[in-house]
Amino acid sequence: MQKIKSLMTRQGLKSPPESLSDLGAIENLRVPGKEEFRELREQPSDPQAEQELINSIEQVYFSTDSFDIVKYELEKLPPILNLQELEEYRDKLKQQQAAVSKKVADLILEKQPAYVKELERVTSLQTGLQLAAVICTNGRRHLNIAKEGFTQASLGLLANQRKRQLLIGLLKSLRTIKTLQRTDVRLSEMLEEEDYPGAIQLCLECQKAASTFKHYSCISELNSKLQDTLEQIEEQLDVALSKICKNFDINHYTKVQQAYRLLGKTQTAMDQLHMHFTQAIHNTVFQVVLGYVELCAGNTDTKFQKLQYKDLCTHVTPDSYIPCLADLCKALWEVMLSYYRTMEWHEKHDNEDTTSASEGSNIIGTEETDFDRGYIKKKLEHGLTRIWQDVQLKVKTYLLGTDLSIFKYDDFIFVLDIISRLMQVGEEFCGSKSEVLQESIRKQSVNYFKNYHRTRLDELRMFLENETWELCPVKSNFSILQLHYESDEPEKSAYQEYDSDSDVPEELKRDYVDEQTGDAPVKRTEAPPATCVSRETLKSRKKSDYSLNKVNAPILTNTTLNVVRLVGKYMQMMNILKPIAFDVIHFMSQLFDYYMYAIYTFFGRNDSLESTGLGLSSSRLRTTLNRIQESLIDLEVSADAAATLTAAEERKEKVPSPHLSHLVVLTSGDTLYGLAERVVATESLVFLAEQFEFLQPHLDAVMPAVKKPFLQQFYSQTVSTASELRKPIYWIVAGKAIDYEQMLLLMANVKWDVKEIMSQHNIYVDALLKEFEQFNRRLNEVSKRVRIPLPVSNILWEHCIRLANRTIVEGYANVKKCSNEGRALMQLDFQQFLMKLEKLTDIRPIPDKEFVETYIKAYYLTENDMERWIKEHREYSTKQLTNLVNVCLGSHINKKARQKLLAAIDDIDRPKR
C-alpha cells in the first residue's frame, strides 16, 4: 500500500486523507467520473497477476520526490538499441502503469464514502467558525457600551463595603483576644475541679487561637502565659497521677489518661507512673515502719526520719514487730492492688479503642494509637515483675532488721504465715516465684527451726526419761488426721483483703488430752479411727485377745501425744513455707527415729537375743537402729577438751541416749516383767508409725522431687519396721515368764534308755504346762490394766511356745543314752504337751512343732539318710547334732559312720566359727 501511495505521489496524485489539510486543493480537486472508474473496472483483471506486476516495479520508483523517472529510464538504455526489446520493455512499463492505475482506482472507490463524509464535516466547521466571529464582534461592542456607562459613584460604594467587612473582622478578632485574656481564670477553676482534660483542651484551643492572631503585639505575651499555664497543668497532672499508686480511683485515672492523651504524652505518662509506683513502695514502707518506731519510742524525736529504711527496721521492737509486719504487707498489697487495677483499666479501654478504631478511616492515627497501646502493654507487663521485686526487697530488709530467733514458735509461725500470704499475692500478681523472699525466709526458717527442733528433741528426751509408760486414755477414733495443720478455709484470691489472725490453728496450741475426761478432743468426726487391732479380731474375738477396753482405743502415752503435737506443728511449718519442706520432714523423721530408738533401748535391747539364732531382729531393723544410733545418738562423753571442740559441730546435731525412768520396774515376775509398760510403749510406737503412714501422701506432695528418695527410704526402712520391734521386746518377757532352766533339770533326771514302751508321760511335761497356766493367769491380770491387742498376745504365746519347744530339744540333746523305747517316750511326752497346750491357746499351727518332731524322728535314720538330714537341717546347733550321732552309736550306726557324720557336722559348723 505504501508503494502505491509513493507511486501516486510520483504521478502527482494525493490520497484523500492527506489532501484534507489543503482546503483550496480539496475544492479544486477533480473527482474522476463514473465513466472513468467503470472503464478501469471493466478491464479484465487477474488480482494475482496485477499484484505480481506491482511487485515487479523496481524499488527506486518508490524513493523520494526528487527522483526523475525519465532520466532513470534513459540512462538504462543500452548503447546499441534494439527496437523489439524497447517495444517489449515499453509494453511491460505500460502494463505496470495500468496495474498501478487500476489499483489506485480501486482505492479511490473504496475511500470515496469517507471522503464525502469528511468533506461535509469540514464544510460544517467552516460555517461554525463564521458564526463565532459574529458573536465575538457583538460582545466587544456591548463591552464598550458598558464601559462607557459605568460611574465613579459605583466604585465608591464598593470601597465602603470592603472597609465595612474589614472592620467587622477586626471587631471579631478583638473580642477573641479579650476572651483569651480572661482564659486563665477559667483554667484555674477547672484545675481545682480536677477537670484536667477540659483544662488542657481549653488551653490548646487558646494556643491555636493565639497563633491565628500572632501578628498583634499583645498576643506574644499571651502565648508565653498560656505555655506557662500548660506546664503548670502538666505538673498538677503528674501529682494527680502519683495518687493512683496508693488508692486507685477509676474516674480519677480516666481523667488523667484523657488529659495525657490530649497532650500526646501517653508513653511519658506510663514512664512517670512506674516511677511513682517505685517511689510509693519506698514511701509506704518507710512511713509504716517509722510510725511504729516512733510510737514505741514514746517521743517526738525526729532523728528516726533521717535514718535509712534499712537502719530504721532495726529499731522495731519485738512487741510491735508482728503488727508492723502485718500493716507493712497490707500497705504493699494496696500498692500492688492499685497497679493490678491500672492494668485492668488499660485492658478494658484498649479493647474499646480497638473497636472504635476499626470503625474509623484515619489510618495514620490508628497506627500511632496501636503503637502507643503496644508500648503501654509491654511496659505494664514488665512492671509487674519490677514492682514485685521491689516489694520483696523491702520486706526482706524488714525481716533482716530483727533476729527472728527471739520469737516463740507461735509468733514465728505467725510471721511465716504473713509472709506466705504475701508470697501468694505476689505469685498471683505477676505469675513468677518469690525467689528473693523465699531464699531469705528459708534461711531464717531453717536456722530457727533447727534450734527449735533441737530444743524439742531435748524436751522429748526429758519426756521419755520421765515417762512411766502408763496408758493415756483417748477416744477410740483419735488419729493424727484430727490435727488442723491445714487451714479448712477456702483459698482466698490474692487480691482480697486478708486477716492475718484468721488462720492460726488453735488445735496446735493446746494439749490433746482433756484433764477432766482424759479424752483427746475430736474436731473432725469424719476422720477415720486409728486402730491397732487386725481385721481377724473384729470378726471373731479370741480368748487370748485380752482387752479391758472393748472399743479398742489407741494405746499411747503422754509422750506419744507430745510427739503427735510436735508433728502437727511441723506440718504447719511445712505448709506455710514449702521451700523448707525437706528440712521439716527430715526433722520430723528424727522425732520418730528418737522415739523408736528409745523404745528399743528401754525394752528391746538384749545382747543374748541375737545369740539365739532365731532372727528376732531382721537385718532391716538392725540397719535402721544402727543408722539412728550413728546419725542421731550422742554416745561420746569425752574429757578431752580438744576432742570435744573438734566434734562439737557434729555433736550439735545429736542427742544423748535416753535412760529409762527408775519408776519403771521390769524385773518383777508378778507383772510379767513390766509387760504392761512394754505393751504401752511398743504399741504407742506402732500407733505413731500408723499416723506417719496416714501423712505419707501429704508429705510426698510437698517434698521436692530430688528429695523424694529420702522420704521413700524413711518409710520403707524406718516407719515400716516399727512393728518389728514387737518380737525382740516381747521375747524378753517370754524368756523370763517360763522357768525353762527348771524344765531342763527335770528332763535331765528322766531315764531314756528304757526297755519297754511307757504309757505315762514324764513329770516335766506337767511342770511345763503349769508354767504356761501361770503365764496365762498373769497375762489376764496384766490385761486388766492395759488392753493387750491380738497381735501382741499372739507374739507372746508364740515366743513362749517356741522357747519351750527349743528347750525340749535342748533337753533331748543332753541325753547320754537313749533306746528306741526312750524315743517313743519322747514322742509321748511331746504329744501330751501339745494336747494340753492347745487348750490354753488358739494359735495354729503350734510354733516349732516340726522342730521337735523332726529331731525325735531323726534317731531312726540310717547312716546315709542321717548324713543327708544333717546337711539339710542346719537350724539345729552343733551340740544337738553331735549328741544325736553319739546316741545312735551302737544301735544302728557304727564308729566309722559316727566319724563320718561328726566330720559332716564339723564342716557345717566351720563357716560359723
Side-chain angles (χ1 to χ4, degrees), residues 493-512:
S493 170
Y495 301 101
Q496 294 178 356
E497 189 169 342
Y498 56 82
D499 180 8
S500 299
D501 296 329
S502 61
D503 290 337
V504 178
E506 295 294 335
E507 292 79 0
L508 299 176
K509 293 184 178 180
R510 59 182 164 198
D511 293 335
Y512 284 87

Side-chain angles (χ1 to χ4, degrees), residues 389-667:
Q389 288 293 329
D390 290 345
V391 169
Q392 290 186 84
L393 290 174
K394 296 300 181 184
V395 177
K396 176 184 177 181
T397 302
Y398 180 82
L399 294 174
L400 295 177
T402 303
D403 184 7
L404 298 182
S405 62
I406 64 176
F407 291 110
K408 296 181 179 179
Y409 176 82
D410 291 337
D411 293 335
F412 183 74
I413 286 293
F414 200 79
V415 171
L416 292 186
D417 185 49
I418 295 175
I419 300 302
S420 177
R421 289 169 181 267
L422 182 64
M423 289 193 294
Q424 177 189 357
V425 170
E427 291 174 5
E428 190 171 337
F429 176 72
C430 64
S432 62
K433 295 295 182 181
S434 310
E435 296 178 355
V436 176
L437 269 181
Q438 282 183 354
E439 182 61 22
S440 174
I441 202 66
R442 191 191 70 81
K443 290 181 179 179
Q444 296 193 58
S445 299
V446 170
N447 293 333
Y448 179 91
F449 200 67
K450 186 179 294 184
N451 295 329
Y452 176 81
H453 174 66
R454 174 59 197 227
T455 304
R456 300 290 80 76
L457 282 177
D458 291 337
E459 287 182 357
L460 179 58
R461 179 169 66 91
M462 181 189 67
F463 270 100
L464 290 169
E465 291 181 342
N466 291 276
E467 180 63 65
T468 58
W469 304 103
E470 294 291 336
L471 181 65
C472 180
V474 294
K475 289 188 176 181
S476 60
N477 64 344
F478 174 74
S479 76
I480 201 170
L481 297 179
Q482 295 165 9
L483 300 180
H484 289 202
Y485 57 82
E486 288 185 294
S487 174
D488 291 333
E489 294 184 3
E491 187 172 334
K492 298 179 180 178
S493 170
Y495 301 101
Q496 294 178 356
E497 189 169 342
Y498 56 82
D499 180 8
S500 299
D501 296 329
S502 61
D503 290 337
V504 178
E506 295 294 335
E507 292 79 0
L508 299 176
K509 293 184 178 180
R510 59 182 164 198
D511 293 335
Y512 284 87
V513 180
D514 193 307
E515 294 180 357
Q516 297 180 357
T517 63
D519 291 339
V522 178
K523 294 281 180 142
R524 299 181 180 177
T525 57
E526 72 277 10
T531 178
C532 299
V533 183
S534 62
R535 293 183 179 179
E536 290 75 12
T537 308
L538 300 177
K539 294 179 181 179
S540 173
R541 179 74 62 181
K542 302 290 186 179
K543 64 180 180 179
S544 59
D545 182 17
Y546 304 96
S547 175
L548 178 65
N549 187 355
K550 297 300 181 182
V551 296
N552 294 333
I555 298 177
L556 40 91
T557 67
N558 287 326
T559 304
T560 315
L561 290 175
N562 182 59
V563 174
V564 171
R565 186 185 301 112
L566 286 177
V567 170
K569 290 186 176 182
Y570 284 27
M571 293 291 291
Q572 183 189 26
M573 166 77 81
M574 182 175 58
N575 286 320
I576 291 177
L577 197 61
K578 290 182 174 60
I580 67 167
F582 169 72
D583 302 279
V584 176
I585 294 175
H586 174 66
F587 293 149
M588 193 186 303
S589 70
Q590 288 186 346
L591 293 177
F592 187 87
D593 288 348
Y594 195 70
Y595 192 88
M596 181 177 177
Y597 185 82
I599 301 299
Y600 167 73
T601 303
F602 293 167
F603 305 105
R605 175 174 287 176
N606 192 331
D607 296 336
S608 62
L609 293 179
E610 302 305 324
S611 63
T612 61
L614 298 178
L616 297 175
S617 298
S618 65
S619 60
R620 187 175 61 163
L621 178 59
R622 290 195 299 271
T623 301
T624 298
L625 293 172
N626 290 334
R627 176 190 60 79
I628 296 174
Q629 181 171 296
E630 293 174 1
S631 62
L632 187 60
I633 307 303
D634 183 10
L635 299 176
E636 298 181 8
V637 182
S638 175
D640 187 357
T644 303
L645 292 175
T646 304
E649 291 300 322
E650 296 181 1
R651 297 180 63 185
K652 275 185 180 180
E653 307 295 331
K654 297 185 177 183
V655 188
S657 179
H659 301 285
L660 183 64
S661 172
H662 67 279
L663 298 176
V664 181
V665 179
L666 304 178
T667 57

